[in-house]
Amino acid sequence: MKRKIVCAAMLFVGLLAPIRAIAQSDEIMQLMLNIEKLAQFKQILADMKKGYEILDKGYGSVRELSQGNFTLHQVFLDGLLQVSPAVRGYGRIADIFRYQGSLATEYRAAWDRFRNSGNFNTMETDYLKKVYDRLIRESLRNLDDLVNILTADRLRMSDDERLEAIDKIFLDMGDRLSFLRYFNDQVSIMSFHRENGSREIQGSKLIYGLPQ
């Protein structure tokens, strides 16, 4: 009986040995897998760190380049605020001021003449005044634009752009002066005809003895 029990025990132990071996083998495999995963994770971290360093370095380079470009851009913009001697000495600047002087002088003379001629009623003189006021107001706006163009630290413009803007003001002032002279000529003709008509009427009254 005892022999049977011993045999049974030995058989049980013999059966457990392969099971333990299998279990240990599984643990070893799992441990190896864990070690491999840890190595992969470390490699991933290393790659991430390297990528971050590259990105950070690249960002720093871009930032430095951008700062450099901004500095150059700022220098360029500041340069556009300056007015060169070539622009300040442009001949048409003097012509513009000469046009303005002629506008003011011819406008005042014509206005005084027409207003005191007695050949125009109140509504007509008011209209003449509005035309003259508008011409002078617009010419003064041209002068303001010219001053801005010629004053440093006001407008960002290249020399070519400033010269082109001065040319436009010059042409505009010339057009205004031409219009003023044409307008004055037309009003003078009207005033002349009215004055002559009035004289003819007065002469007819004297001839026919009509009351003045």
Side-chain angles (χ1 to χ4, degrees), residues 101-125:
S102 297
L103 271 169
T105 301
E106 295 180 25
Y107 138 72
R108 291 194 187 97
W111 167 240
D112 289 341
R113 185 171 70 253
F114 297 144
R115 181 183 55 183
N116 298 323
S117 67
N119 297 324
F120 301 98
N121 58 37
T122 302
M123 184 179 296
E124 290 171 333
T125 54

Side-chain angles (χ1 to χ4, degrees), residues 50-185:
K50 184 177 181 181
Y52 173 77
E53 290 174 350
I54 294 174
L55 181 62
D56 184 63
K57 183 179 180 181
Y59 173 75
S61 299
V62 171
R63 181 177 56 191
E64 291 174 1
L65 289 173
S66 299
Q67 183 64 34
N69 288 337
F70 176 77
T71 302
L72 291 175
H73 187 59
Q74 189 63 41
V75 170
F76 173 73
L77 292 178
D78 290 343
L80 294 180
L81 287 172
Q82 305 306 313
V83 182
S84 70
V87 173
R88 291 182 181 276
Y90 191 36
R92 285 189 168 179
I93 295 174
D95 293 334
I96 291 171
F97 283 105
R98 179 170 53 83
Y99 281 163
Q100 177 63 25
S102 297
L103 271 169
T105 301
E106 295 180 25
Y107 138 72
R108 291 194 187 97
W111 167 240
D112 289 341
R113 185 171 70 253
F114 297 144
R115 181 183 55 183
N116 298 323
S117 67
N119 297 324
F120 301 98
N121 58 37
T122 302
M123 184 179 296
E124 290 171 333
T125 54
D126 286 345
Y127 172 75
L128 295 178
K129 187 67 165 57
K130 288 180 180 178
V131 172
Y132 290 137
D133 285 347
R134 181 176 178 180
L135 275 173
I136 294 301
R137 185 170 59 253
E138 291 177 347
S139 68
L140 291 177
R141 188 179 300 117
N142 282 341
L143 289 185
D144 287 340
D145 292 341
L146 179 62
V147 170
N148 286 332
I149 293 170
L150 297 177
T151 302
D153 299 330
R154 286 197 181 180
L155 298 175
R156 284 193 171 101
M157 302 174 71
S158 65
D159 285 353
D160 289 341
E161 289 172 335
R162 291 181 193 273
L163 293 176
E164 183 178 355
I166 293 172
D167 286 341
K168 289 181 179 180
I169 295 174
F170 168 79
L171 294 175
D172 193 52
M173 290 290 284
D175 289 341
R176 296 190 194 287
L177 183 58
S178 296
F179 173 79
L180 174 66
R181 289 170 176 174
Y182 172 80
F183 183 77
N184 286 343
D185 287 343

